[in-house]
Amino acid sequence: MSAIVLLILGLGGMAAGYFVYSRFIADKIYKLDPNFETPAHSMEDGVDFVPTNKFVLWGHHFTSVAGAAPIVGPAIAVVWGWLPAFLWVVFGTIFFAGVHDSGAIWASVRNRAQSVGSLTGEVVGPRARSVFMIVIFLVLLMVNAVFGVVIARLLINNPGAVLPVWGAIAVALVIGQMIYRWKLNLAVVSLLGVVALYALIWVGPSVPVTLPESTFGLSANAAWILILFAYAAIASLLPVWVLLQPRDYINGLQLFVGLILLYGAMLIANPTVVAPAFNVDVPAGTPPLLPLLFVTIACGAISGFHGLVASGTTSKQLNKETDARFVGYFGAIGEGALALAAILAATAGFASLAEWREIYSAFGKGGVQAFVDGGAAILSAGTGINAAVAGTMLTVMAALFAGTTMDTGLRLQRYIFQEWGEIYNLAWMRRPMPATLLAVGACVLLAFGAGGADGSGGLLIWPLFGTTNQLLAGLTLLVVTVMLVRLGRPTRYTLVPLVFLLVMTLAALLIQLRGFYEKQDWFLLTLDLVVLVAAVLVTLECTASLRRHKKAREAEAEG
């Protein structure tokens, strides 16, 4: 199978989804109104609520939700074969992710830009809100703690990526000033930013940066993690236009340039997909394809974290309600395109099936490194770019997206603590600084409390991320569906995805529960039970709310 065939089918399907299906959802289901005053205008404060150009906001939203997950998940899931991963990424993006992401933005914008957890209190009820926010907190804790480990390891394993990764922050600070203070032309600013980023990538391998093996008794891994959390704390407190927006926007452009180069190299080199369509000879210990495929590939098909970003930061910056289609649905398309690139790099970037099987010798192998190695081989063959530079470019791409997700994730965790302060009338917790310290403290406690001096404790609860994250997506769609029922609009376009997600994630939680019991991993077993009970409680609350509103609508129609 030629990789070009999958490339054309995948991108063509996603393009059709955006130009046809997303327009239908925006016009007929969500009924986005260009004249509706968004919270970015009605609640503008210059810090979190800032009316933003839709292209800049798309860059923020897309890179915040992308992270390393749409690379890691698909690059692991191809162990079952390329066809199941390909189908789920393409159709999941079109019918699940786009509807979910744009729906979360719409629901939040229509309710004073509240996060999906807080919004649940008004749409469903206070009990559902309390339980839902526990699930949200766990997802954010997993994302922030784990991505810190992922970035630290990328920087240690690829010293040439250190300069571009940290240099991108300086570029973003200048870009923010150019856009908001100096009011320069966006196209010119974008070009300058992309050129600066790729110049750093080009120089990076010749200026490798490494930390000492021990700094104040801390390993290099632990030191990088603390540096990253310190940076994320500062970034989460700055006005969004100073760093968060421009960093995400310029990274979004950098990704698209990277994807164009990678896809262009595939068209030139025409690599062969050496992995099997269905892998009947999976490594020992590989879990069943159903339902684990749908939680292994989280971001890239649909992800609950997207709903947190959509309702946490994106909705506070939406200039016009109609921008939700471009920012939300097209943001999901960007993520799907990245996931498709990860699938192709991890299946067509190796010389033979034997080499591929050597990489995928056990479940969980592959991931970011398979994407970097396979993608670099394709880039080098198709464009003639030096293999080391190509590898650095893809490593920087992965690290930058993990970093932007960490930036946004910590800001969202700060919002959660502030919302808890409002709910429980704790004035001190409503302030940004204490809430940020609590957010960082929770992440550091997990990283070093569970991981010891290495700081890798976040990996301890990572096995539950996929299921918890997909569960969150299903529950977000439940909230959106309740809103649609209240408004008397069709619900099947959100109801079908949410039922599918809830069935698959609850089944996955039960399978994992058995696995944790057999391994006598009592910590993860307890956490699995907490998530499972929370999911059932929120589902019951939302189902009851759906029935109440449906009966009320029927009574109005009869009356």
Side-chain angles (χ1 to χ4, degrees), residues 64-70 72-73 135-147 292 294-300 302-306 308 335 405 458-473 505 508-509 512 516 524 527-528 531:
S64 293
V65 301
V72 175
V135 177
I136 291 172
F137 180 79
L138 285 174
V139 168
L140 289 173
L141 189 62
M142 292 177 193
V143 167
N144 293 333
V146 171
F147 277 23
L292 269 299
F294 303 102
V295 297
T296 301
I297 301 179
C299 303
I302 184 171
S303 164
F305 182 71
H306 293 200
L308 297 184
E335 180 121 332
T405 300
L459 296 176
L460 185 68
I461 61 174
W462 186 249
L464 276 174
F465 171 75
T467 44
T468 309
N469 186 49
Q470 297 303 78
L471 176 64
L472 181 57
T505 50
L509 277 169
Q512 287 184 313
F516 296 146
L524 284 180
L527 202 57
D528 193 320
V531 173

Side-chain angles (χ1 to χ4, degrees), residues 235-308:
S236 74
L237 288 168
L238 290 173
V240 290
W241 65 267
V242 172
L243 178 59
L244 192 68
Q245 268 186 13
R247 174 168 155 81
D248 291 351
Y249 173 63
I250 206 67
N251 283 349
L253 293 178
Q254 179 254 351
L255 171 69
F256 258 80
V257 172
L259 284 179
I260 290 170
L261 287 173
L262 185 55
Y263 283 138
M266 288 182 191
L267 292 173
I268 296 169
N270 190 20
T272 300
V273 177
V274 298
F278 285 100
N279 189 11
V280 295
D281 189 22
V282 296
T286 300
L289 185 149
L290 289 176
L292 269 299
L293 171 72
F294 303 102
V295 297
T296 301
I297 301 179
C299 303
I302 184 171
S303 164
F305 182 71
H306 293 200
L308 297 184

Side-chain angles (χ1 to χ4, degrees), residues 288-339:
L289 185 149
L290 289 176
L292 269 299
L293 171 72
F294 303 102
V295 297
T296 301
I297 301 179
C299 303
I302 184 171
S303 164
F305 182 71
H306 293 200
L308 297 184
V309 175
S311 64
T313 58
T314 304
S315 62
K316 294 175 174 63
Q317 302 168 62
L318 200 72
N319 186 39
K320 293 182 179 179
E321 190 177 60
T322 47
D323 290 349
R325 175 179 170 238
F326 179 80
V327 174
Y329 199 102
F330 193 62
I333 295 293
E335 180 121 332
L338 177 58

Side-chain angles (χ1 to χ4, degrees), residues 78-348:
V78 294
V79 71
W80 289 296
W82 61 259
L83 186 58
F86 175 81
L87 293 175
W88 175 230
V89 163
V90 174
F91 289 104
T93 295
I94 296 170
F95 297 108
F96 287 60
V99 174
H100 169 274
D101 291 17
S102 56
I105 295 173
W106 165 73
S108 179
V109 164
R110 286 283 169 166
N111 290 274
R112 305 184 311 282
Q114 293 182 81
S115 73
V116 67
S118 180
L119 176 60
T120 306
E122 294 190 14
V123 175
V124 181
R127 285 182 300 185
R129 177 192 62 197
S130 299
V131 177
F132 200 175
M133 290 185 79
I134 293 173
V135 177
I136 291 172
F137 180 79
L138 285 174
V139 168
L140 289 173
L141 189 62
M142 292 177 193
V143 167
N144 293 333
V146 171
F147 277 23
V149 178
V150 169
I151 300 169
R153 290 183 176 178
L154 282 171
L155 296 178
I156 291 171
N157 295 332
N158 302 274
V162 174
L163 178 65
V165 166
W166 290 101
I169 297 171
V171 173
L173 288 169
V174 175
I175 292 295
Q177 297 298 313
M178 287 179 170
I179 294 174
Y180 288 98
R181 285 279 173 85
W182 306 338
K183 309 292 184 184
L184 298 184
N185 180 274
L186 184 60
V188 174
V189 171
S190 303
L191 179 61
L192 291 173
V194 170
V195 169
L197 275 183
Y198 276 95
L200 288 169
I201 290 171
W202 188 266
V203 173
S206 61
V207 191
V209 178
T210 57
L211 290 182
E213 289 187 11
S214 179
T215 305
F216 299 111
L218 295 173
S219 67
N221 191 73
W224 273 128
I225 289 172
L226 287 176
I227 291 169
L228 287 163
F229 276 125
Y231 156 73
I234 295 169
S236 74
L237 288 168
L238 290 173
V240 290
W241 65 267
V242 172
L243 178 59
L244 192 68
Q245 268 186 13
R247 174 168 155 81
D248 291 351
Y249 173 63
I250 206 67
N251 283 349
L253 293 178
Q254 179 254 351
L255 171 69
F256 258 80
V257 172
L259 284 179
I260 290 170
L261 287 173
L262 185 55
Y263 283 138
M266 288 182 191
L267 292 173
I268 296 169
N270 190 20
T272 300
V273 177
V274 298
F278 285 100
N279 189 11
V280 295
D281 189 22
V282 296
T286 300
L289 185 149
L290 289 176
L292 269 299
L293 171 72
F294 303 102
V295 297
T296 301
I297 301 179
C299 303
I302 184 171
S303 164
F305 182 71
H306 293 200
L308 297 184
V309 175
S311 64
T313 58
T314 304
S315 62
K316 294 175 174 63
Q317 302 168 62
L318 200 72
N319 186 39
K320 293 182 179 179
E321 190 177 60
T322 47
D323 290 349
R325 175 179 170 238
F326 179 80
V327 174
Y329 199 102
F330 193 62
I333 295 293
E335 180 121 332
L338 177 58
L340 177 62
I343 291 172
L344 294 177
T347 57

Side-chain angles (χ1 to χ4, degrees), residues 10 35-36 52 94 149 162 196 232 244 304 330 344 355 387 400 403 417 424 451 518 524 529 551:
N35 298 315
F36 179 79
T52 304
I94 296 170
V149 178
V162 174
L244 192 68
F330 193 62
L344 294 177
E355 184 182 348
L400 286 179
F417 278 109
Y424 299 109
E518 290 175 349
L524 284 180
L529 281 172
K551 287 181 180 179

